[in-house]
Amino acid sequence: MPPFSASPQSPQPDPPPPFLEHPPELLILDVDGVLTDNTIWLDANGAEQKRFYVPDGTGIRRVARAGVPVALVSGRKSGVVDARARELGIEHAYSGVLEKAPKVLSLIAELGCDPERTVYVGDDWIDLDPMAVVGLPVAVANAIREVKEAAVAVTTVPGGFGAVREVCDWILRARG
């Protein structure tokens, strides 16, 4: 079955059918390429900066207020990710996680959530294993082909430019 993709003309598309069949109860996000546009700025001293899209943060806050826990699982160790998580009130933020599937399964168990009702949003090779252990894997529009093929839905916009907001809107609509 090909992944669901909303019309690019639709600013707030309806949730994909799997989200309606299994309303999400947990949202887990990769960071680089999902919450960011995959760009990292480093100065001469090695200080890192990343660019985040503010409406993604608004979506995350709305989903959390609706009772859906949100977690970040990043392959890169980054103080910037930790700072963004604190700013958004995300309690479950992990960076430097190279084996993401065990961390995802641990989070699902710790939070008492149903894997079939867990959303994982990814964009690259490192996201394939965690996508395989959840019922609602999502690829951002700029994800590699293999990630899109593993997804039940593909966002209409790329990571770092509103993909997370789109997924948050799907979650809120699917939950009523």
Side-chain angles (χ1 to χ4, degrees):
M1 170 172 85
F4 171 88
S5 182
S7 163
Q9 289 81 25
S10 176
Q12 295 181 335
D14 291 330
F19 278 54
L20 296 171
E21 295 161 16
H22 303 283
E25 60 183 33
L26 173 59
L27 172 60
I28 304 174
L29 303 166
D30 174 39
V31 177
D32 293 318
V34 172
L35 271 173
T36 76
D37 63 0
N38 253 339
T39 300
I40 299 168
W41 291 292
L42 291 175
D43 69 16
N45 298 317
E48 177 182 88
Q49 291 184 352
K50 295 178 189 255
R51 180 192 149 294
F52 295 96
Y53 188 72
V54 172
D56 286 347
T58 302
I60 288 169
R61 284 188 176 116
R62 289 183 64 221
V63 163
R65 276 198 307 269
V68 177
V70 179
L72 305 180
V73 180
S74 179
R76 285 190 76 249
K77 187 79 176 148
S78 172
V80 175
V81 171
D82 299 337
R84 183 65 171 154
R86 281 192 306 276
E87 179 183 42
L88 294 174
I90 297 172
E91 293 178 36
H92 304 281
Y94 308 93
S95 60
V97 179
L98 298 179
E99 298 293 329
K100 292 184 175 186
K103 176 53 77 180
V104 166
L105 289 171
S106 172
L107 272 168
I108 291 168
E110 177 185 337
L111 296 171
C113 295
D114 180 351
E116 290 302 310
R117 295 178 62 192
T118 297
V119 177
Y120 181 92
V121 186
D123 73 309
D124 212 340
W125 291 105
I126 194 170
D127 300 309
L128 288 170
D129 287 343
M131 290 175 75
V133 300
V134 302
L136 300 169
V138 173
V140 295
N142 56 314
I144 63 170
R145 178 181 49 85
E146 292 83 356
V147 168
K148 289 179 179 178
E149 289 172 355
V152 298
V154 177
T155 64
T156 62
V157 292
F161 292 95
V164 171
R165 175 59 177 267
E166 186 173 357
V167 173
C168 289
D169 288 347
W170 290 345
I171 291 169
L172 292 169
R173 284 188 174 82
R175 291 174 57 89

